Amino acid sequence: MGIIDSNILQKVEKYTQLLWPQGNPSFCKTIQSYSEQLSKLDQTIRRMIVESLGVEKYMDEHMNSTNYRLRLIKYKEPQSNETKTGLHAHTDKNIVTILYQNQVKGLEILTKDGQWINVDPTPDTFTIMIGDSLHAWTNGRIHAPFHRVMMKGNEARYSIGLFTIPKAGYMIKAPKELVDEEHPLLYMPFSHLEFITFSYTEEGMKCESALKTYCGV
Ligand SMILES: O=C(O)CCC(=O)C(=O)O
Ligand SMILES: [Fe+2]
């Protein structure tokens, strides 16, 4: 289930009507309040990234270039001793993803030296993932990791992801201050929507990095 603009109550109410035509105020309030609070965490993280790269002059442009989408996901228990893939290995295509989950393990991240490691968050932990669009905007300074969900055992896994997404029409382009001889431009400017569309094509799905294939220099 995916809710666009989940930090805006009217948008959540409109979506909720599809599931509960008579309305569900408690669901709406919970979703909106969760999204609003985590959007502040997202903004803190992005401000820290922009500052740490010394490109504060792009702060407003960057902060105003995004929307939020909330996704609620259920991974069924395999009900056998075999490990089953819940979600194939991928990089997120957006800016930042903030994940929260129940206490059923399954999320794995590929380290830069090629090892799959388990993510095992405590109930008071969020997992923050950088997506391809922020990786490209920082001209590769920040890594967007491959991750996947592997299910075993007999309990379902639930996760909730808040995805920060570039607004339609916004062109993702690394600030010129992040491009120099030591750091040549890695990706041509691109539209997130067009990149997503490419990533779902046969070519986009079979290449190792949809981002590199789509707009790599
Ligand atoms: O369920 C999770 O923990 C990961 C979800 C995820 O990677 C995604 O939706 O892109
Ligand atoms: Fe993901």
Side-chain angles (χ1 to χ4, degrees):
M1 182 201 303
I3 307 175
I4 298 167
D5 290 328
S6 58
N7 55 325
I8 300 170
L9 189 60
Q10 292 87 322
K11 295 286 181 85
V12 183
E13 282 170 349
K14 206 163 164 209
Y15 184 91
T16 304
Q17 291 276 320
L18 301 171
L19 300 170
W20 293 278
Q22 73 285 14
N24 187 335
S26 141
F27 175 83
C28 291
K29 185 76 210 104
T30 306
I31 294 290
Q32 188 277 332
S33 149
Y34 178 86
S35 303
E36 189 182 315
Q37 289 178 62
L38 283 201
S39 71
K40 292 189 179 134
L41 177 59
D42 160 75
Q43 286 159 26
T44 302
I45 294 165
R46 283 159 61 204
R47 281 204 186 92
M48 287 164 68
I49 292 173
V50 171
E51 278 172 17
S52 72
L53 296 172
V55 288
E56 290 89 335
K57 76 181 222 209
Y58 299 93
M59 186 73 85
D60 290 347
E61 179 194 321
H62 174 66
M63 299 310 289
N64 294 330
S65 68
T66 53
N67 293 325
Y68 294 99
R69 166 178 265 168
L70 190 84
R71 210 152 67 206
L72 304 165
I73 314 165
K74 177 180 180 184
Y75 300 90
K76 280 201 186 131
E77 59 278 22
Q79 285 176 330
S80 74
N81 292 331
E82 271 173 60
T83 300
K84 290 222 167 110
T85 304
L87 187 60
H88 286 284
H90 65 283
T91 54
D92 286 353
K93 307 287 177 278
N94 54 317
I95 297 279
V96 170
T97 303
I98 306 181
L99 295 167
Y100 189 73
Q101 62 167 81
N102 67 348
Q103 285 310 289
V104 177
K105 293 182 196 169
L107 180 62
E108 298 182 0
I109 296 198
L110 189 64
T111 62
K112 285 184 180 174
D113 55 6
Q115 308 291 317
W116 283 105
I117 53 168
N118 297 321
V119 180
D120 186 12
T122 57
D124 54 3
T125 308
F126 295 100
T127 304
I128 315 287
M129 204 87 72
I130 300 301
D132 284 336
S133 295
L134 189 53
H135 165 77
W137 190 81
T138 63
N139 198 26
R141 302 293 203 291
I142 304 203
H143 180 61
F146 272 91
H147 53 284
R148 66 185 183 188
V149 175
M150 302 302 284
M151 291 294 298
K152 59 179 171 207
N154 52 12
E155 269 185 282
R157 178 169 183 275
Y158 291 89
S159 71
I160 176 165
L162 185 76
F163 297 80
T164 310
I165 300 184
K167 285 181 181 160
Y170 180 75
M171 293 299 284
I172 297 152
K173 176 173 184 274
K176 61 181 186 318
E177 290 78 358
L178 298 180
V179 181
D180 54 34
E181 248 174 58
E182 226 180 291
H183 307 93
L185 184 69
L186 295 178
Y187 307 100
M188 297 306 287
F190 66 97
S191 135
H192 177 254
L193 205 61
E194 284 170 22
F195 167 44
I196 290 279
T197 306
F198 169 77
S199 73
Y200 287 121
T201 61
E202 204 184 323
E203 189 190 357
M205 285 199 285
K206 74 172 189 242
C207 57
E208 200 188 311
S209 162
L211 184 67
K212 274 194 196 141
T213 308
Y214 183 63
C215 60
V217 175

